[in-house]
Amino acid sequence: ALDDAVADSAARFVTVIGPPGVGKTRLSRELEQSVAAEATVLHTACERSGAATFAPLVDLIRPTIGLVEGLDDEATRAKLAAIVPPEEPERDRIVDGLAGIVGVGESRSTEETFWSVRRLIESLADTRPLVLVIDDIQWAESLLLDLLEHLAEWVTDAAVLVVGLARPELRDLRPAMAEPGRRMADVIVLDGLDADAMAQLADR
């Protein structure tokens, strides 16, 4: 899927579905290690409850641009601006949208927020492919799932692979993300090991 994203210069979204403990996160870690030399890899997770809608995105943005506790609003905006190419004609608009997400500016409309995040993703993938791994998306707020679908559909000028890890209940919450189609490049279903595989594992 990463090779396809590079070849097409477009986002590819792969969903990995399986019950708790089956190995989704382990599989994603193996992926991250295998592509680390050729791509930028960012990993975040959705919390079960109590987190803000875009909290997983904030968790992605903070280490990417070096945000630390104690920075004032002006310094934070400067760090946001640093990851947007200087030649970008909508640079200030992008920074305004991102500032609203990380809490140093006014919240923007849903459309403006989605646009700003998309432009950030495209900027991060400007020099090398980008892999985004988002764990436990079955716990994501509906608006965040909307954003992920937006990225899958509208990132067309950058090599981006989005990997969503989810429990089976995602099929009921967001069927379109659990079936290959217009937005999802692939859906991988992980099942537990059968008896023969368990015996081999125990022998080894």
Side-chain angles (χ1 to χ4, degrees):
L2 178 60
D3 290 340
D4 290 339
V6 172
D8 298 339
S9 292
R12 309 274 296 182
F13 198 121
V14 175
T15 308
V16 180
I17 298 177
V22 77
K24 301 184 295 298
T25 301
R26 170 63 187 274
L27 182 63
S28 73
R29 295 299 186 188
E30 294 290 339
L31 167 68
E32 292 172 33
Q33 292 179 15
S34 70
V35 303
E38 57 184 307
T40 300
V41 182
L42 302 176
H43 192 125
T44 189
C46 302
E47 296 182 9
R48 188 164 204 155
S49 62
T53 298
F54 295 119
L57 288 181
V58 176
D59 292 340
L60 278 179
I61 293 172
R62 285 188 180 279
T64 301
I65 62 176
L67 285 185
V68 295
E69 295 296 332
L71 285 181
D72 59 27
D73 291 1
E74 184 176 348
T76 299
R77 288 182 63 89
K79 285 186 171 292
L80 291 171
I83 60 174
V84 182
E87 63 274 13
E88 167 60 57
E90 300 278 9
R91 194 175 191 220
D92 290 342
R93 180 184 168 194
I94 295 171
V95 173
D96 286 343
L98 298 177
I101 294 174
V102 301
V104 295
E106 294 182 5
S107 296
R108 302 288 167 165
S109 67
T110 297
E111 182 181 50
E112 191 73 4
T113 299
F114 282 18
W115 181 85
S116 298
V117 173
R118 175 167 59 82
R119 290 299 299 124
L120 169 65
I121 296 301
E122 291 169 344
S123 295
L124 293 175
D126 187 52
T127 55
R128 68 195 310 232
L130 176 66
V131 177
L132 300 178
V133 179
I134 307 175
D135 209 344
D136 285 323
I137 61 173
Q138 78 281 345
W139 291 334
E141 295 290 333
S142 180
L143 191 59
L144 180 56
L145 294 179
D146 291 343
L147 172 58
L148 295 179
E149 290 187 333
H150 171 86
L151 295 177
E153 185 166 0
W154 292 102
V155 174
T156 58
D157 296 318
V160 178
L161 172 63
V162 182
V163 180
L165 311 180
R167 297 184 182 184
E169 50 261 43
L170 181 70
R171 295 189 179 101
D172 296 324
L173 296 171
R174 190 62 63 104
M177 298 184 73
E179 299 176 0
R182 183 164 60 94
R183 293 189 177 95
M184 304 300 108
D186 199 4
V187 175
I188 300 171
V189 179
L190 298 183
D191 295 316
L193 299 177
D194 60 26
D196 290 341
M198 286 293 292
Q200 289 181 19
L201 182 62
D203 288 342
R204 294 175 183 176

